[in-house]
Amino acid sequence: MGSFLLSACGGNDTTDAGAGASSSVSGGSELSFQNGTAKQNNAPAKTGDFAPDAAPAVAAKKPVARKWVQLSAGRAGQLDPVVVNGAGFTLYRFDKDTADPSKSNCSGECATTWPPYLVARGGKVFLDGIDKSAIGFIERDGAFQVTIGGWPVYLFNKDTKAGDTNGQGVGGTWFGVTPDGEKAGDGQAGAGAGAGADSGADPDPKASPASSATFFQGPNFADPSQGVAGPGCRNVRFSGSLQAGGALKIWDGPDCTGNVRIVNGNVQDLSGIGFGTVKSVRFLG
């Protein structure tokens, strides 16, 4: 994926005489930039961030390249400041990406849970309290993914309304992004991390180890289900959600191989903590 930052150009965008100066992106992308919100610049209804298919849950089904995007320095939940889009949805950064150079390492199933925030070629970017020097782009899916402070940014498909921050702290690697590209909330996990979200380190010594668990095929403990009990490693069939009375380790490979994570208690949606595939489990008791 190629990356580029803003470069100043002469001239003004003519969408709204009061919108302020605009600039274009190097590399012939033909994107234009305006100060103020989309509404202040008379952006058409049901386009850009206002379009029905631009909502996180809908955008998760296929990449959505918006005709315009709005980047606003604001507040969402307990995160202040954090960047939200024109519809008020929180934008997130991923610790496994890189900022220098800007590169996304979220694709496939990851990009379904975390839709990349894309603007179409020839589109507009409205800046509301954001310094344009912090904004950049990487080429993706025939469009451009927005970067802030070099970090590619995303929506979260479990955010269902403006102001939701359900992605904060998920998997210990996803955080709201500040106007300068840093982690919102001082990099602390929020309510959206979900029960059991953990970085994979040793469990809280106060947590009781689980001796059994029930895995469900779908989120929200939807049947069919499979009960497993310790001690030792056990392979499992389902990975939508789980119920457990304490801490346990889960792996994305059979026989306790591959990537590992520690969870503590019930997890309503395993994909919501960035661990959508579970093949085995080890009880800690």
Side-chain angles (χ1 to χ4, degrees):
M1 300 179 189
S3 64
F4 46 87
L5 297 174
L6 303 186
S7 61
C9 286
N12 293 324
D13 193 297
T14 58
T15 302
D16 184 351
S22 66
S23 59
S24 298
V25 175
S26 61
S29 67
E30 299 179 354
L31 290 173
S32 61
F33 295 78
Q34 290 187 299
N35 293 327
T37 66
K39 288 184 177 180
Q40 290 170 340
N41 285 284
N42 299 324
K46 297 184 179 180
T47 65
D49 286 343
F50 298 156
D53 64 352
V58 184
K61 298 177 182 178
K62 64 178 182 179
V64 174
R66 300 152 185 81
K67 292 183 178 179
W68 58 263
V69 296
Q70 177 183 314
L71 304 171
S72 296
R75 176 175 181 172
Q78 299 299 311
L79 304 181
D80 184 14
V82 69
V83 180
V84 298
N85 75 357
F89 286 103
T90 303
L91 295 176
Y92 299 90
R93 48 167 281 178
F94 182 35
D95 282 356
K96 295 183 181 180
D97 287 347
T98 60
D100 186 17
S102 299
K103 181 181 178 182
S104 170
N105 288 308
C106 177
S107 60
E109 184 178 337
C110 175
T112 298
T113 303
W114 304 91
Y117 191 51
L118 304 176
V119 58
R121 294 178 182 275
K124 295 181 184 292
V125 180
F126 299 112
L127 300 176
D128 176 29
I130 305 287
D131 190 333
K132 65 182 180 182
S133 66
I135 308 304
F137 304 88
I138 54 176
E139 293 181 289
R140 181 169 186 156
D141 297 316
F144 298 106
Q145 183 174 3
V146 176
T147 69
I148 301 177
W151 293 94
V153 296
Y154 309 79
L155 298 168
F156 181 47
N157 71 352
K158 302 300 181 185
D159 285 347
T160 60
K161 64 182 183 301
D164 278 353
T165 57
N166 295 318
Q168 178 70 3
V170 165
T173 55
W174 289 93
F175 299 91
V177 63
T178 68
D180 57 359
E182 298 299 318
K183 299 178 187 179
D186 297 323
Q188 298 298 310
D198 192 283
S199 64
D202 289 336
D204 185 333
K206 297 180 181 179
S208 299
S211 59
S212 64
T214 302
F215 287 80
F216 297 82
Q217 183 177 41
N220 302 313
F221 317 115
D223 286 329
S225 62
Q226 174 193 7
V228 290
C233 181
R234 295 288 185 271
N235 292 331
V236 298
R237 298 194 303 272
F238 305 127
S239 58
S241 50
L242 74 85
Q243 291 180 336
L248 65 157
K249 287 185 177 182
I250 55 176
W251 276 263
D252 64 2
D255 303 316
C256 296
T257 60
N259 295 315
V260 62
R261 185 176 305 284
I262 293 175
V263 296
N264 183 20
N266 296 344
V267 182
Q268 190 172 14
D269 185 354
L270 285 160
S271 67
I273 64 168
F275 219 80
T277 300
V278 179
K279 295 291 184 65
S280 55
V281 56
R282 182 180 296 277
F283 297 99
L284 304 176

